[in-house]
Amino acid sequence: MITGTTILHSENNVVHHDDEQSVSYSGSTEKTFLCVGESANKTIKCLSFFDNGYNAASLSLAKENLLFLKSAGHNLPDVIIIDVAFNKDRLLKFGDFLNSHTWSSIIPVIYNETALHKKYLPELKLINFVDDVVNIGDHCNELYKKASFLKKVKSHSVQKITLSTSNTSSSELSKINYGKRIFDILIAGSLLIALSPLFLFIIVAIKLESKGPAIYKSKRAGRGFKVFNFFKFRTMIADAENKVAELSALNLYGSNDASASTFFKIKDDPRVTKVGAFLRNTSLDELPQLFNVLKGEMSIVGNRPLPLYEASSLTTNEGAERFMAPAGITGLWQVTKRGREDMSAAERLGLDIDYARNHSFASDLRILLSTPTALFQKTNV
């Protein structure tokens, strides 16, 4: 029996509550969510996208409910929605519970943005088990798709977990993430201050050569497939993205169909401006990503965030595992393979997966120290 839980049925959109309520499931293909919070009414509109929803008033009750569902052989929820006020200690305990079992560690956890005060967002980002922050009321139609992907990514990660990692608690992981975050802020902040005159010079050079904004902004997928606005200095003509299809035959990754290729890159790309070629060869075009680091969307070291058309092609196989690592300005691929014409998409993906499985603060430092020697590419790709 599930105690203290509201059962939400999509068949007639009826909500009812009992102190003890038995749960029945229609089958393994049922789409189900568990919302943790005091108000079940907030999740009513989500029912049209799920078969059933369950509401536990607190994190402790949610833990009991998950244990019951597992012991009774029922379907586990496809996603856990947290809709309670931020309490670090309670969240860490709930995270320790989820991470202590393989079956619960792969359930995606999404925090309802409307229940979270902005001042707690930095702390929440350091808590290891929360996958994303979303305004649930406005994005119900995206929840199941997002949860399906996150579960796939987390499943890949769990299969590769070592004994030492599995014995690390959420509080310990939080300390590790906190240290990395402080490191990122110190490095990014210091570089932005020191390089501000260079930023101004580059912006002027770009604007003098070609029309269009100096900063290029695009949607990229980072850790956990979280989408954010990615910043670079513009190195191409303003309408470069509209010319991908006609240049697809030149793709170094071997596909004649740009939409079917995992990665898209052209040698001596005709869309690149003269200033842009210099910025690319010296990697100065990457500098605006320091703002992404300050915002917490990226780290100094990690896997490169991917354009959405590339990221979507990696969600059905082992490639999804590369999204378990933080998005970074520099990474394992940059310092080992950058500029090589014979680099294949498989090699690049393999390095991303290797980093996702084995990265640590020590390995990040080694990559960072190796980055200056990799800044000048051997070829214009």
Side-chain angles (χ1 to χ4, degrees):
M1 309 291 280
I2 287 187
T3 60
T5 297
T6 304
I7 312 300
L8 311 173
H9 294 293
S10 61
E11 292 80 6
N12 51 15
N13 230 26
V14 173
V15 181
H16 59 85
H17 179 278
D18 293 314
D19 289 334
E20 290 195 347
Q21 175 69 45
S22 61
V23 180
S24 61
Y25 288 80
S26 61
S28 59
T29 60
E30 186 179 62
K31 300 176 183 178
T32 306
F33 66 88
L34 169 63
C35 184
V36 185
E38 295 182 353
S39 177
N41 292 328
K42 289 185 179 181
T43 59
I44 286 295
K45 64 171 63 177
C46 292
L47 286 175
S48 60
F49 303 98
F50 289 81
D51 297 307
N52 281 301
Y54 303 92
N55 182 260
S58 66
L59 290 168
S60 59
L61 283 173
K63 174 183 174 180
E64 292 179 18
N65 295 342
L66 289 170
L67 288 172
F68 169 80
L69 292 173
K70 178 63 177 177
S71 63
H74 293 312
N75 293 341
L76 295 171
D78 295 293
V79 60
I80 297 173
I81 301 168
I82 297 181
D83 189 34
V84 295
F86 181 85
N87 185 302
K88 186 175 181 179
D89 290 337
R90 292 175 183 174
L91 285 168
L92 285 173
K93 288 179 180 178
F94 188 63
D96 283 340
F97 159 71
L98 292 180
N99 290 331
S100 65
H101 305 285
T102 300
W103 57 268
S104 56
S105 64
I106 64 174
I107 302 175
V109 179
I110 295 177
Y111 210 110
N112 191 359
E113 186 179 46
T114 60
L116 181 69
H117 194 286
K118 290 184 178 179
K119 67 179 181 180
Y120 295 121
L121 186 58
E123 288 189 74
L124 183 66
K125 288 182 177 179
L126 298 174
I127 296 179
N128 187 56
F129 76 97
V130 176
D131 299 297
D132 204 352
V133 178
V134 174
N135 186 319
I136 302 300
D138 293 341
H139 297 90
C140 279
N141 59 321
E142 302 171 9
L143 275 185
Y144 184 74
K145 183 178 179 180
K146 178 183 285 287
S148 296
F149 174 80
L150 289 172
K151 187 174 183 179
K152 194 175 300 179
V153 172
K154 297 181 85 168
S155 297
H156 279 298
S157 179
V158 167
Q159 292 171 5
K160 309 299 180 182
I161 281 180
T162 63
L163 181 60
S164 60
T165 304
S166 62
N167 287 336
T168 302
S169 67
S170 291
S171 57
E172 291 172 322
L173 286 168
S174 179
K175 292 177 182 178
I176 295 172
N177 292 338
Y178 188 65
K180 182 174 176 65
R181 181 67 184 138
I182 291 177
F183 176 81
D184 285 338
I185 291 174
L186 289 175
I187 295 295
S190 299
L191 287 175
L192 282 171
I193 293 172
L195 298 175
S196 55
L198 180 59
F199 269 71
L200 181 60
F201 177 80
I202 292 173
I203 289 172
V204 172
I206 293 172
K207 298 289 285 185
L208 286 176
E209 184 184 22
S210 61
K211 295 181 180 180
I215 301 295
Y216 172 74
K217 184 169 63 174
S218 65
K219 296 293 184 183
R220 297 291 175 99
R223 187 173 193 169
F225 205 68
K226 186 171 184 179
V227 178
F228 62 93
N229 286 321
F230 172 84
F231 304 127
K232 292 183 73 172
F233 282 124
R234 180 171 58 82
T235 61
M236 293 184 174
I237 57 177
D239 62 343
E241 290 185 350
N242 296 329
K243 298 182 179 296
V244 171
E246 64 186 76
L247 296 172
S248 61
L250 302 177
N251 188 6
L252 289 178
Y253 293 111
S255 174
N256 291 325
D257 179 3
S259 64
S261 180
T262 303
F263 302 109
F264 184 81
K265 192 174 288 290
I266 300 173
K267 181 181 179 181
D268 298 321
D269 195 325
R271 301 170 300 168
V272 178
T273 64
K274 292 180 179 179
V275 171
F278 174 78
L279 294 176
R280 286 185 167 206
N281 288 338
T282 57
S283 293
L284 292 175
D285 62 320
E286 311 285 357
L287 289 178
Q289 290 154 45
L290 292 169
F291 289 107
N292 289 119
V293 174
L294 283 184
K295 293 173 67 179
E297 297 161 339
M298 294 177 62
S299 290
I300 297 295
V301 181
N303 283 335
R304 293 298 287 164
L306 296 183
L308 301 189
Y309 73 90
E310 293 183 7
S312 63
S313 67
L314 298 176
T315 61
T316 58
N317 53 45
E318 192 180 33
E321 189 176 353
R322 56 102 54 210
F323 290 104
M324 287 305 297
I329 295 178
T330 186
L332 184 59
W333 168 70
Q334 281 85 349
V335 300
T336 58
K337 293 285 184 179
R338 191 168 195 171
R340 279 185 46 181
E341 293 185 62
D342 62 344
M343 181 193 63
S344 67
E347 285 180 305
R348 176 177 165 178
L349 181 57
L351 287 168
D352 286 348
I353 294 172
D354 182 47
Y355 177 80
R357 294 174 180 175
N358 303 308
H359 73 279
S360 65
F361 188 70
S363 66
D364 282 359
L365 285 178
R366 288 194 294 270
I367 291 171
L368 192 59
L369 291 173
S370 300
T371 296
T373 60
L375 288 179
F376 289 88
Q377 300 180 14
K378 296 178 182 179
T379 60
N380 184 22
V381 296

